[in-house]
Amino acid sequence: MTGNSLPPVKLTDSGRPVLLPNEIECFFLSGVDLLCEDEPNTWFPHLKSGLLILTTHRLLWIPEAAVATSTSASSVPLSSISHIFPHKKSLKSVFASPRVRFQVSPSPERGVATAGSRSVVVTVVVRGKGDCDAFVAKFWENWRARAWEESEKATSSSSNVAAVAGSSSSGIYSSDGTVRMVGVSGILRKEQEMWESTDKSLQDAFQDLNALMSKAKEMVMLAEKMRQKLLSGSNSQTNTTNDEEMGSKEEMQELLLSVGIISPVTKESAGALYHQQLSRQLADFVKVPLDRAGGIINLIDIYCLFNRARGTELISPDDLLQACSLWEKFDVPIVLRKFDSGVMVIQNKSHSDEEVFTKIKVLVMKPDALRSGISPSDAAMTLGVAPAMAKEHLLSAESKGILCRDVSPDGFRFYINLFSEIDRDDMHFFPCAIFAE
């Protein structure tokens, strides 16, 4: 019986893989089979017709079924690959699907936990469209770079530092024999060293564009730490800060939240799958700003936020629109909507127009609203959305016969439509004659 000892891959709601720390996607191939050349009862199963994603740490295989789960998606750690066979071209290979062969050595230390210790040879069969030669070149490059070792070193060094700090917590001498700084002076010294390191990172990052891109992940982590510090500072110093300072802190938090996406989907890495993968990544990205905007947000706002998060990997408006249009094919909880006025927005599928219309009815039935009507600004405060979105909701309510509109030099005013209560079937017309003298 065929088993599966490969590590599973966690997936987001849109079907995108959850990446490891410092892991970056490098290449995408569709219609890929992973076939083991040994007997079928081996620990490595046959994986057919899926999406293969090459990252700096793993080979990710996700089935192309309509609904993919974390249990059906598998990964092959690059650390478990002991050999990549050269890609040979022959007359026979011209008429067959491109193939890449590599050897996997299972061991718990290499990320593949299995009772057997026998190595197997795996063949990557590319049945879909894709540049196999470019994939092989990137495969070799990532395997030789051994980026996963850098992550392991960073993790082990941080744990060692914590262990040393814990073991030397008593006494005034550190592990190297120097006098430790304790008390208030020690705290100030520690803060000074941390800010000096931060300042050095900022100076190195902004020397030129290449240095900035190489420091991107470090800057994202630094921004997250600064955001957490702002949050803790705002909670502990609420009584000593005024409204202006609180506003500037909130603005800084908003900026730091959208510093960047560590592994943005690009045309170079995704190839023909660019718009499909961009659509899935966008679906994951819009969740937070969509919740803050009350379940509906203008497409232009998302374009600005998404491009700011992508850094130098900017996308065009056409790419964004095409990515949003693909949501209908995926099982994602968001949709692209176009109002009658032509305004395009992104909203949750759970967003109900009936609930919005109910809130608008309550607002226009208030005594002041019955006399002078309501404006889009009034509706924006009630609905918790931007005035432009509130105006679209009011126009939609008007098209449903709930409201009527008055246009004046002061702008739009909306009133409750009393004529909607009149039953057309219960109306009678009486002929009248005009007599001339």
Side-chain angles (χ1 to χ4, degrees):
M1 182 178 179
T2 302
N4 187 356
S5 300
L6 298 177
V9 178
K10 294 182 180 180
L11 302 178
T12 64
D13 294 338
S14 65
R16 289 268 304 160
V18 178
L19 302 179
L20 301 175
N22 300 326
E23 184 179 18
I24 298 176
E25 297 164 315
C26 301
F27 211 92
F28 293 77
L29 284 175
S30 61
V32 174
D33 298 344
L34 293 183
L35 305 178
C36 181
E37 296 184 2
D38 290 358
E39 62 273 9
N41 61 350
T42 183
W43 56 268
F44 197 108
H46 289 325
L47 305 175
K48 294 186 177 181
S49 185
L51 172 66
L52 185 67
I53 304 177
L54 171 65
T55 72
T56 53
H57 293 57
R58 299 176 291 174
L59 277 174
L60 309 179
W61 185 89
I62 304 173
E64 294 182 347
V67 179
T69 60
S70 298
T71 56
S72 60
S74 303
S75 66
V76 180
L78 296 186
S79 59
S80 67
I81 298 177
S82 56
H83 182 68
I84 300 177
F85 296 94
H87 183 51
K88 297 181 180 180
K89 292 185 178 181
S90 62
L91 183 61
K92 182 180 178 181
S93 64
V94 175
F95 303 98
S97 299
R99 296 170 182 261
V100 182
R101 300 169 68 244
F102 60 89
Q103 186 173 2
V104 181
S105 300
S107 66
E109 293 78 12
R110 295 183 175 183
V112 181
T114 179
S117 58
R118 181 182 177 184
S119 300
V120 296
V121 176
V122 180
T123 301
V124 179
V125 183
V126 184
R127 305 190 187 279
K129 295 181 179 180
D131 191 347
C132 189
D133 293 335
F135 168 76
V136 172
K138 199 66 180 178
F139 191 14
W140 274 96
E141 179 183 344
N142 288 5
W143 184 59
R144 289 168 175 166
R146 310 183 75 82
W148 60 88
E149 292 183 353
E150 298 297 329
S151 301
E152 292 174 356
K153 289 179 182 178
T155 304
S156 60
S157 62
S158 61
S159 60
N160 291 338
V161 169
V164 170
S167 62
S168 60
S169 58
S170 59
I172 62 173
Y173 294 98
S174 60
S175 58
D176 58 356
T178 58
V179 178
R180 293 196 307 114
M181 301 296 291
V182 297
V184 176
S185 59
I187 296 174
L188 294 176
R189 173 73 175 273
K190 208 170 186 180
E191 289 286 333
Q192 181 66 25
E193 291 176 353
M194 183 185 68
W195 286 113
E196 287 177 357
S197 176
T198 301
D199 183 62
K200 186 176 183 304
S201 297
L202 291 171
Q203 290 179 358
D204 293 341
F206 284 96
Q207 283 181 357
D208 52 38
L209 185 59
N210 292 330
L212 177 61
M213 295 178 67
S214 65
K215 292 279 187 177
K217 287 183 287 186
E218 182 180 347
M219 302 308 296
V220 171
M221 296 173 62
L222 177 61
E224 180 63 22
K225 291 180 181 179
M226 293 173 65
R227 187 180 71 86
Q228 295 295 338
K229 192 174 184 64
L230 282 174
L231 288 173
S232 60
S234 61
N235 293 333
S236 60
Q237 301 179 0
T238 305
N239 298 330
T240 59
T241 55
N242 53 31
D243 294 340
E244 184 177 354
E245 291 175 347
M246 289 297 296
S248 62
K249 284 189 175 183
E250 291 177 358
E251 183 180 358
M252 179 63 70
Q253 291 168 18
E254 292 291 333
L255 291 174
L256 294 177
L257 278 173
S258 57
V259 163
I261 299 174
I262 295 179
S263 181
V265 175
T266 63
K267 292 183 178 179
E268 181 181 1
S269 63
L273 301 174
Y274 172 66
H275 288 103
Q276 181 188 117
Q277 293 300 317
L278 181 67
S279 176
R280 295 181 183 274
Q281 189 173 68
L282 179 61
D284 293 331
F285 174 81
V286 299
K287 289 181 180 179
V288 175
L290 201 58
D291 292 340
R292 291 179 186 159
I296 184 170
I297 190 170
N298 198 310
L299 187 62
I300 298 176
D301 296 337
I302 285 295
Y303 176 74
C304 297
L305 292 173
F306 193 52
N307 263 337
R308 183 169 65 178
R310 289 175 62 88
T312 57
E313 302 292 344
L314 303 181
I315 63 173
S316 66
D318 290 337
D319 289 337
L320 180 73
L321 190 59
Q322 191 167 347
C324 293
S325 63
L326 291 176
W327 285 338
E328 298 178 357
K329 300 180 180 179
F330 307 138
D331 186 17
V332 294
I334 51 178
V335 293
L336 177 66
R337 177 182 178 182
K338 186 175 182 179
F339 285 99
D340 294 337
S341 62
V343 175
M344 304 184 74
V345 299
I346 296 174
Q347 70 176 38
N348 288 321
K349 285 184 178 179
S350 58
H351 183 82
S352 174
D353 285 345
E354 297 301 326
E355 294 180 4
V356 175
F357 293 158
T358 301
K359 293 179 180 180
I360 292 176
K361 285 182 182 178
V362 174
L363 179 62
V364 295
M365 290 302 292
K366 292 182 178 180
D368 293 341
L370 290 174
R371 288 192 300 268
S372 58
I374 62 172
S375 65
S377 299
D378 299 330
M381 290 186 290
T382 300
L383 300 176
V385 297
M389 289 294 97
K391 182 180 177 181
E392 297 299 328
H393 285 308
L394 292 174
L395 293 174
S396 297
E398 181 194 18
S399 65
K400 296 292 184 180
I402 301 173
L403 303 178
C404 56
R405 178 184 9 153
D406 177 48
V407 182
S408 66
D410 296 331
F412 286 12
R413 305 294 296 185
F414 292 86
Y415 298 83
I416 189 68
N417 182 17
L418 299 177
F419 295 99
S420 62
E421 304 297 331
I422 299 176
D423 187 2
R424 294 183 179 181
D425 297 333
D426 196 24
M427 295 176 63
H428 303 278
F429 296 92
F430 297 94
C432 60
I434 300 177
F435 298 95
E437 295 183 356

